[in-house]
Amino acid sequence: MHLPRHSRSKRPQTIPHRTVVSSWIGSPLGVLANLLPSLKISPLAWFLEQFSTAFLAVRLRKTFKYDVIYLCDGDPYIFTPFLLGLVFRHYRWAVVLAGIKALVSPTSFPHKLFRKLINAPMWKPIYRSSLAKNQFTFICPNEYIKDYFETNFLDGILSGRVSVIPLGVEQTASITPQKEARRFLGLPEDKVIFLHFGSLHLGKDIETVLAAISGIPDVLLIHAGAVAVRMPLTTPQELLDLVQHYGVENRVIIKDYYIPEEEKQYYFGAADATILSYKRDTWQTTSMLWEAAKFRSPTIASDVGELGELVKRYKVGLVFEAENATSLKDALAHFLSSSQSEKETMRSNYEKFGDEFSVDEWAQKHVKSFRELCQR
């Protein structure tokens, strides 16, 4: 439920029908968790921000009489609106089940314990009571997540309450020519460049990428995105250690910062292809495929969940076996041996992908969901 900040003092004048909020309460703990990861307080910092943000949304809804509270990335902390629902009745909640942490099984004991606590059966009476006092709708981007929450979460307490709304592609993005993009970023024009984009998190598998790249000479890899995020899963030093371990120090470029929207066109434009490497138990719809689609970048993707299915169905790239460096190396070699015509076909196939997953249709389905929620 990470949302952009805005002033809490008054209702926005330019868009009077909605307000976007985020709380800062968890941030001090988040900073401390980044500085001292051994404290293992990241889950607590994340939870405090989720809960305080939801509480702030409730206050704003009460003040401005909003019809719906829309929570983005609501899991695995979706119990926060249910807790608030015990006190604040007759509220309408639209919760997006798009977060990664409920669908990826962390290996560390604190994460396992925290996840087990969040999904403990003792919460069932709270969910049932809150569902009876308020109106809830749950939205997710694919059938894998829908099935997980309707059948596995708290013995199916959300059964029949989850709807699928696929992500939408923004088809108006500027596509920068490769030479221009490489000059802007200071990259060589005569090298094959693969892009690994986005913040690192538990679902991503950059180690497999580094291992595969180590076996293919004369190619560059750019990682563009924050390495140490709010919930530190990979520190910058750990990534550098992996790069050194695989002996690719001279062929990997790390841009360790949040890439603003206006710079994305240069990274995707400079790359010959984008690598989407995810771990085997990742079920979420990766937004990175939609980013690649926006800039029509051929994609080399893990065969996980909907990601692998979409890449194969729309023929926008190649698929490799998740967590298998040899399989990824073979896919990269296959791409390198493909003709220019084949690569251009991958790019052009994104047109159909964009037509079937338009951002306008995504917005219309959300509006319909909100209206149905208000009519209950």
Side-chain angles (χ1 to χ4, degrees):
M1 183 169 63
H2 179 58
L3 302 171
R5 306 178 190 277
H6 97 294
S7 172
R8 291 156 48 178
S9 59
K10 63 180 180 179
R11 188 175 180 176
Q13 297 300 310
T14 55
I15 311 179
H17 61 282
R18 68 178 175 90
T19 300
V20 181
V21 300
S22 179
S23 173
W24 55 269
I25 290 179
S27 297
L29 272 180
V31 172
L32 187 61
N34 279 331
L35 294 175
L36 300 171
S38 60
L39 293 180
K40 308 293 184 183
I41 60 175
S42 296
L44 177 60
W46 193 275
F47 164 70
L48 283 177
E49 179 166 357
Q50 308 305 303
F51 188 86
S52 55
T53 298
F55 183 78
L56 176 58
V58 166
R59 288 182 55 195
L60 286 169
R61 183 269 179 195
K62 187 175 182 180
T63 301
F64 299 120
K65 309 301 181 185
Y66 291 125
D67 293 312
V68 177
I69 298 175
Y70 177 75
L71 302 182
C72 187
D73 290 344
D75 60 289
Y77 307 93
I78 57 175
F79 77 101
T80 53
F82 286 96
L83 288 176
L84 293 170
L86 296 177
V87 180
F88 302 96
R89 300 186 177 194
H90 310 301
Y91 277 47
R92 300 183 185 94
W93 297 84
V95 182
V96 179
L97 305 175
I100 297 159
K101 299 167 193 63
L103 305 177
V104 175
S105 302
T107 56
S108 66
F109 176 74
H111 281 96
K112 286 183 178 180
L113 182 63
F114 188 71
R115 183 186 179 200
K116 182 172 290 189
L117 175 63
I118 295 304
N119 295 329
M122 66 180 180
W123 297 112
K124 284 184 183 179
I126 293 177
Y127 275 71
R128 292 194 183 99
S129 177
S130 193
L131 284 168
K133 297 174 182 177
N134 301 272
Q135 298 295 331
F136 285 89
T137 188
F138 299 91
I139 300 168
C140 68
N142 67 52
E143 293 291 340
Y144 291 94
I145 300 175
K146 174 182 169 69
D147 180 67
Y148 170 84
F149 279 102
E150 288 199 336
T151 60
N152 298 327
F153 182 73
L154 288 181
D155 297 326
I157 201 168
L158 300 184
S159 178
R161 296 179 180 271
V162 182
S163 58
V164 175
I165 300 181
L167 300 177
V169 177
E170 180 187 344
Q171 294 178 287
T172 58
S174 299
I175 300 178
T176 305
Q178 189 175 86
K179 286 187 177 181
E180 179 183 337
R182 292 191 177 189
R183 279 196 291 265
F184 179 85
L185 296 173
L187 299 173
E189 296 184 11
D190 59 343
K191 292 282 188 180
V192 174
I193 297 178
F194 292 111
L195 174 65
H196 186 268
F197 191 86
S199 300
L200 297 183
H201 54 66
L202 277 173
K204 290 191 176 179
D205 184 21
I206 194 170
E207 182 169 3
T208 293
V209 178
L210 296 174
I213 289 292
S214 69
I216 302 179
D218 300 325
V219 299
L220 294 179
L221 173 71
I222 299 178
H223 168 75
V227 174
V229 292
R230 183 169 308 191
M231 204 174 216
L233 308 172
T234 304
T235 65
Q237 187 56 52
E238 287 174 340
L239 180 56
L240 292 175
D241 290 344
L242 281 175
V243 169
Q244 293 174 358
H245 173 76
Y246 289 103
V248 290
E249 299 96 322
N250 297 326
R251 297 197 285 120
V252 174
I253 299 171
I254 299 173
K255 301 291 186 178
D256 179 16
Y257 68 98
Y258 174 79
I259 309 299
E261 198 66 35
E262 59 270 18
E263 289 186 23
K264 290 180 181 179
Q265 60 180 307
Y266 298 108
Y267 285 99
F268 283 96
D272 292 277
T274 300
I275 301 175
L276 302 181
S277 179
Y278 288 81
K279 294 184 179 177
R280 202 180 309 278
D281 55 359
T282 302
W283 297 345
Q284 92 283 8
T285 295
T286 167
S287 61
M288 290 302 104
L289 177 58
W290 269 251
E291 292 286 358
K294 185 161 55 174
F295 301 102
R296 300 192 177 188
S297 175
T299 300
I300 300 170
S302 304
D303 62 345
V304 294
E306 190 183 41
L307 173 60
E309 293 173 1
L310 291 175
V311 171
K312 287 189 287 188
R313 184 189 311 163
Y314 291 93
K315 300 179 180 179
V316 294
L318 303 172
V319 173
F320 66 94
E321 183 181 346
E323 300 184 54
N324 187 326
T326 301
S327 179
L328 175 54
K329 177 185 172 183
D330 292 342
L332 295 175
H334 184 179
F335 179 82
L336 292 173
S337 65
S338 299
S339 67
Q340 190 61 34
S341 174
E342 290 173 320
K343 294 173 184 176
E344 287 302 319
T345 298
M346 294 178 189
R347 293 182 184 275
S348 62
N349 286 342
Y350 273 119
E351 184 173 350
K352 181 181 179 182
F353 182 90
D355 289 340
E356 296 191 16
F357 295 96
S358 72
V359 71
D360 289 339
E361 184 177 354
W362 174 87
Q364 290 170 8
K365 288 181 178 179
H366 273 79
V367 171
K368 180 182 177 182
S369 179
F370 296 157
R371 286 175 175 166
E372 290 174 350
L373 182 61
C374 292
Q375 292 170 358
R376 291 181 188 174

